[in-house]
Amino acid sequence: MTSHTRPRARAGNPLCFALRPLCALLAALPFAALAQDAPLQTVTVTAPAPEAQPVGASALHQGALQAGRTASSDTATLLRNLPGFSVQGAGGVSSLPSLHGMTDDRLRIQVDGMDLVSACGNHMNPPLSYIDPTRIGSVRVFAGAVPVSVGGDSIGATIQVEAAAPEFAAPGQGTLLKGEAGTFYRSNGNGVGANASATYATEQMSLRYDGAAAQADNYTAAKGFKPAGPAAGNKPTHWLGSDEVGATSYKTRNHALGFALRGNAHLVELKLVLQDIPYQNYPNQRMDMARNDSHQINLRYQGQFEWGQLQARAYHEKTRHGMNFGEDKQFWYGPKNDVPGMPMDTEGKTTGVSVKADVALSARDTLRVGAEMQKYRLDDWWLPSGGGMAPNTFTNINGGQRDRFDLFAEWEARWSPQWLSQIGLRSANVRSNSGAVQGYNASYAADAAAFNARERKRTDHNLDFTALTRFTPNDRASYEFGFSHKTRSPNLYERYSWSTGGMAMRMVNLAGDGNGYVGNVDLKPEVANTLSATADWHDATGKQWGVQATPYLSHVNNYIDAKRCGGAMGAMEACSNANLRGSDKFVYLRFANQDARLYGLDLSGFAELGPLGSWGQFTASGMVSYVNGTNRTSGDNLYNTMPLNARLALTQRLHGWSSTAELLMVTAKTRVSAERNELKTAGYGLLNLRASYEWKQVRLDAGIDNVFDRFYAHPQGGAYVGQGQTMAGTTVPWGVRVPGMGRSVNVGVTVKF
């Protein structure tokens, strides 16, 4: 059981007067700093001056990344300050990023330049779960119309997450020896963790180690969550405590070793990364992660020549993944009636090579050309375990293959100091295939025979095109406009999951909605046509105030949505005609191509309010995001889109202190997918407080999330199947959303040496 204790504006400025109570609250946090005689190191948290970012790009600064690490070990949540960004709930370190209504594989997500692939029928190991938050050095996001040089095999944004760059000794310094160690505690779920890094470098060589570990028990929701009780006459041996959210515990360990050599104009870097997740439980999936072991080798080269820059990369990643019931699901009925275990194993291998050149044709023109190759192999098998899951091994994906080869060219021209244009073309060839399959027993024979008799090899010839322009009339404004035509081929689970048996379908779920899914060999690639624009107004320095507005519109042909399966769609009982009619239960669906439309608007801004007496410098910031997604074929709403939401923050800086009060507001989710029986959610508001203090080589972070212990369900949290006999389709109660976390006090400390 988990428990926790609740434990330059002038005086006449009307904005300052309205904010005075909040200012007083923030000012009370760093009272100890007033006793310091000497000035302390300043922590800068204001938005930095605009950098020469590529067209369509935005970046997160280190202050935003550092502040989020104490509150979460989930890398995806660190991106929450990006306009239009949200997360689809999953395990404690494996949320799925969502941007402008597109999630998971519809986004291109690169970790240290690698295009990693989720090797799991529930996508429990998404790309961002392979890098610990403490390793991240930079985050860059391309939303809207994405340049072809950073796009590919996606129809949405591109998210690039990089570990800290290698450091070298300064000229004449000799050797550089430095390191960092940190730890944290989170009261809700008893989350604990530690991280350490060390660097040894000369002027030409750099060696760095990073290690991190984190674990947590189940978290508790605020008062108001009522976990489902056991069936009559059954007493579970593992009983969840009051307001405890089942299947939310996890444990993870990550290690990385980097070695780099540099010359005058060349850099070679080799990284070895190991991940070990002994367990990670999922409140919105019927299974839990029983293991996830990953090994990565990543080699890159970067060289500067008279004609421009050359970059090359080769990488290989292997994942060994396993699922079974965690204790909140497995021990629901007690030892005498214990549900049999259901081991499910996956092995994925990804090998990639890329070469890219930036050629300076003239002072005005730059040509970017490149080639990328990715080879992916997947095996997904379920060992027999008794009952209806015997005597054979169930092969869900047998020798799955997905190989991609891309070529692209992009021309960028700086016509004048005010005008910049970019136009690009990418061609991709995607080949996929899967071997013959079998089920546990004869009950699955008809489905297996039908699948094995199909021609399963598919080849997609995809084409991407992007045109972008940036107009900068003066030092106080810039405007970007873009159009993109982008294509994504189906993943292996969307194409090759084959069984229409109810149990087997419930084991394939990329959405966390509690429903069951079966693949479709005949799926076509998704094709998205996107229009977007961004207006950026700011002061001449970019440090006093700024406002950005980004409207966008995407029309997607052959959008991979889902349709309920009926009696003619499958050989087993899940695809019955009764499945077509149910409106208050979990259902069974087949992936299907349909057309979709998404549009929305992001607004964000900040303003320096100026110093407020002895209370320090204050900055106000905020963002508002709205997205609307519609299935144009059926008229239904797209699943799991985020409703209108806003994030407002007031930040105070005083010497080495930085304090932030953040208000998160989300409206009710009423536009839901009827096809999936998606659940509605109520609107809510949450107050979060954070403070940090830096003194010499020590940084202290503290915060309170959900200060008023407000009960809520995140609109993208999914359906709650975190406890009970989750193998069954009907005994798990339908209609319960995964509740959000209640109040949590978080503390972290980092020491540099």
Side-chain angles (χ1 to χ4, degrees):
M1 173 178 174
T2 304
S3 63
H4 64 278
T5 303
R6 299 183 184 271
R8 178 155 36 206
R10 304 293 182 185
N13 188 322
L15 179 60
C16 177
F17 181 81
L19 295 173
R20 186 177 294 275
L22 189 54
C23 294
L25 174 62
L26 291 170
L29 294 175
F31 63 90
L34 300 177
Q36 300 293 332
D37 295 327
L40 301 176
Q41 181 179 353
T42 301
V43 182
T44 302
V45 297
T46 56
E51 301 177 1
Q53 291 286 351
V55 180
S58 58
L60 284 177
H61 58 90
Q62 275 297 318
L65 295 172
Q66 183 70 37
R69 290 168 180 157
T70 301
S72 176
S73 297
D74 186 352
T75 294
T77 63
L78 299 188
L79 281 63
R80 62 186 178 182
N81 289 323
L82 290 168
F85 183 87
S86 59
V87 293
Q88 177 179 305
V93 298
S94 299
S95 294
L96 302 174
S98 180
L99 193 60
H100 291 176
M102 297 188 184
T103 306
D104 200 14
D105 282 357
R106 292 191 173 99
L107 309 177
R108 185 178 191 183
I109 303 172
Q110 294 182 299
V111 177
D112 271 342
M114 299 181 292
D115 289 292
L116 303 178
V117 182
S118 184
C120 172
N122 300 146
H123 276 199
M124 290 182 174
N125 43 26
L128 290 183
S129 68
Y130 286 108
I131 182 168
D132 188 83
T134 59
R135 279 190 63 215
I136 297 176
S138 65
V139 176
R140 191 165 64 173
V141 176
F142 296 81
V146 179
V148 298
S149 58
V150 297
D153 202 24
S154 64
I155 60 171
T158 292
I159 300 174
Q160 297 177 331
V161 176
E162 300 278 349
E167 295 182 81
F168 297 89
Q173 183 181 1
T175 60
L176 170 68
L177 182 61
K178 61 181 296 186
E180 179 178 305
T183 186
F184 69 82
Y185 172 75
R186 304 171 190 138
S187 67
N188 197 327
N190 293 320
V192 294
N195 66 279
S197 67
T199 297
Y200 173 79
T202 65
E203 293 183 32
Q204 289 78 37
M205 183 274 294
S206 177
L207 180 65
R208 175 174 176 136
Y209 166 78
D210 290 272
Q215 69 179 67
D217 300 329
N218 289 342
Y219 69 74
T220 57
K223 296 299 181 182
F225 177 53
K226 303 299 181 184
N234 293 309
K235 182 179 180 181
T237 57
H238 179 74
W239 180 254
L240 299 182
S242 175
D243 305 312
E244 184 176 348
V245 182
T248 54
S249 58
Y250 63 87
K251 185 174 185 179
T252 177
R253 297 183 284 255
N254 294 274
H255 303 274
L257 183 65
F259 178 72
L261 296 172
R262 72 172 181 180
N264 292 332
H266 305 277
L267 173 71
V268 177
E269 183 180 17
L270 175 67
K271 289 183 180 179
L272 304 176
V273 180
L274 303 177
Q275 182 185 77
D276 168 30
I277 300 182
Y279 62 88
Q280 184 179 191
N281 298 320
Y282 285 73
N284 61 359
Q285 297 287 358
R286 297 173 187 270
M287 302 294 288
D288 297 311
M289 179 188 289
R291 62 176 292 191
N292 199 84
D293 304 315
S294 172
H295 304 79
Q296 303 170 14
I297 180 169
N298 188 359
L299 177 66
R300 78 175 178 107
Y301 164 80
Q302 180 173 313
Q304 193 70 38
F305 301 88
E306 292 184 1
W307 51 264
Q309 187 181 83
L310 178 67
Q311 299 179 57
R313 185 182 303 273
Y315 62 90
H316 178 75
E317 188 268 342
K318 178 181 178 181
T319 293
R320 185 70 167 81
H321 173 72
M323 294 190 293
N324 212 321
F325 300 114
E327 60 179 359
D328 297 338
K329 299 167 184 174
Q330 183 175 10
F331 296 108
W332 185 250
Y333 288 111
K336 291 184 179 180
N337 299 307
D338 195 12
V339 176
M342 184 179 173
M344 303 172 67
D345 291 281
T346 309
E347 183 175 87
K349 298 178 182 178
T350 306
T351 302
V353 177
S354 64
V355 179
K356 175 185 174 183
D358 290 13
V359 183
L361 301 178
S362 66
R364 186 193 71 181
D365 302 310
T366 300
L367 176 66
R368 298 185 183 95
V369 294
E372 300 173 358
M373 184 277 293
Q374 184 189 64
K375 179 181 178 181
Y376 178 62
R377 297 293 180 267
L378 175 69
D379 285 291
D380 190 330
W381 70 99
W382 313 342
L383 295 174
S385 57
M389 301 173 288
N392 302 323
T393 294
F394 187 106
T395 53
N396 190 35
I397 303 286
N398 180 25
Q401 304 175 22
R402 193 178 189 275
D403 298 335
R404 178 170 62 88
F405 181 74
D406 290 21
L407 294 171
F408 69 84
E410 185 175 271
W411 170 43
E412 182 174 292
R414 298 182 179 272
W415 302 96
S416 69
Q418 290 77 37
W419 284 99
L420 177 148
S421 68
Q422 186 184 92
I423 186 169
L425 187 68
R426 174 184 284 259
S427 174
N429 182 283
V430 182
R431 300 178 181 178
S432 61
N433 201 358
S434 180
V437 298
Q438 69 174 17
Y440 284 120
N441 48 53
S443 299
Y444 299 86
D447 271 352
F451 180 85
N452 293 337
R454 293 289 310 272
E455 172 55 54
R456 299 180 296 278
K457 183 183 294 184
R458 293 292 184 270
T459 301
D460 302 323
H461 301 287
N462 301 334
L463 191 68
D464 288 5
F465 168 79
T466 300
L468 298 159
T469 186
R470 176 191 289 162
F471 173 53
T472 310
N474 52 54
D475 59 1
R476 292 177 173 81
S478 67
Y479 305 91
E480 293 183 2
F481 309 90
F483 167 79
S484 67
H485 174 92
K486 301 186 63 184
T487 311
R488 177 188 81 95
S489 289
N491 64 45
L492 294 183
Y493 287 102
E494 290 169 331
R495 263 194 174 143
Y496 297 123
S497 299
W498 57 272
S499 176
T500 59
M503 179 277 298
M505 292 182 71
R506 290 190 292 276
M507 299 303 103
V508 178
N509 187 305
L510 313 182
D513 60 4
N515 298 317
Y517 290 81
V518 64
N520 184 346
V521 176
D522 295 323
L523 285 177
K524 299 176 182 178
E526 298 177 323
V527 180
N529 294 290
T530 299
L531 286 169
S532 69
T534 297
D536 186 345
W537 301 282
H538 49 267
D539 70 284
T541 66
K543 296 181 180 180
Q544 297 302 311
W545 65 271
V547 176
Q548 280 193 354
T550 302
Y552 56 89
L553 168 67
S554 292
H555 183 85
V556 187
N557 294 319
N558 296 319
Y559 184 89
I560 300 176
D561 209 328
K563 296 178 63 176
R564 296 193 191 185
C565 55
M569 287 187 174
M572 298 188 71
E573 78 287 350
C575 290
S576 64
N577 288 326
N579 182 61
L580 300 174
R581 299 186 296 270
S583 61
D584 58 353
K585 64 178 183 179
F586 296 117
V587 293
Y588 301 97
L589 306 109
R590 183 185 297 273
F591 294 113
N593 287 123
Q594 298 178 301
D595 291 339
R597 183 190 64 196
L598 300 100
Y599 64 88
L601 174 67
D602 297 329
L603 292 173
S604 62
F606 76 97
E608 286 286 344
L609 304 180
L612 191 62
S614 61
W615 289 355
Q617 186 80 15
F618 285 81
T619 304
S621 61
M623 60 184 184
V624 180
S625 297
Y626 172 76
V627 61
N628 181 297
T630 304
N631 184 314
R632 300 290 287 174
T633 302
S634 66
D636 197 10
N637 298 306
L638 294 185
Y639 172 74
N640 227 11
T641 56
M642 189 71 179
L644 177 67
N645 63 95
R647 188 184 298 269
L648 305 177
L650 181 65
T651 298
Q652 175 216 26
R653 302 183 305 281
L654 179 64
H655 304 300
W657 283 95
S658 172
S659 308
T660 299
E662 175 188 74
L663 179 63
L664 175 63
M665 296 173 287
V666 180
T667 61
K669 181 175 176 61
T670 57
R671 295 177 56 87
V672 294
S673 170
E675 193 77 0
R676 288 177 163 90
N677 284 343
E678 183 181 7
L679 301 170
K680 297 180 180 180
T681 57
Y684 60 90
L686 304 177
L687 176 65
N688 304 318
L689 298 178
R690 286 188 293 275
S692 64
Y693 175 64
E694 285 197 42
W695 181 72
K696 295 184 179 181
Q697 302 300 105
V698 179
R699 176 183 172 112
L700 176 67
D701 289 278
I704 306 175
D705 286 345
N706 196 357
V707 172
F708 297 114
D709 205 24
R710 173 74 183 273
F711 179 82
Y712 71 100
H714 192 281
Q716 295 175 295
Y720 182 61
V721 288
Q723 62 186 92
Q725 192 183 5
T726 57
M727 278 286 293
T730 57
T731 57
V732 177
W734 179 87
V736 180
R737 276 276 192 174
V738 175
M741 183 181 291
R743 182 191 298 121
S744 182
V745 178
N746 312 315
V747 180
V749 62
T750 302
V751 180
K752 298 180 180 180
F753 53 88

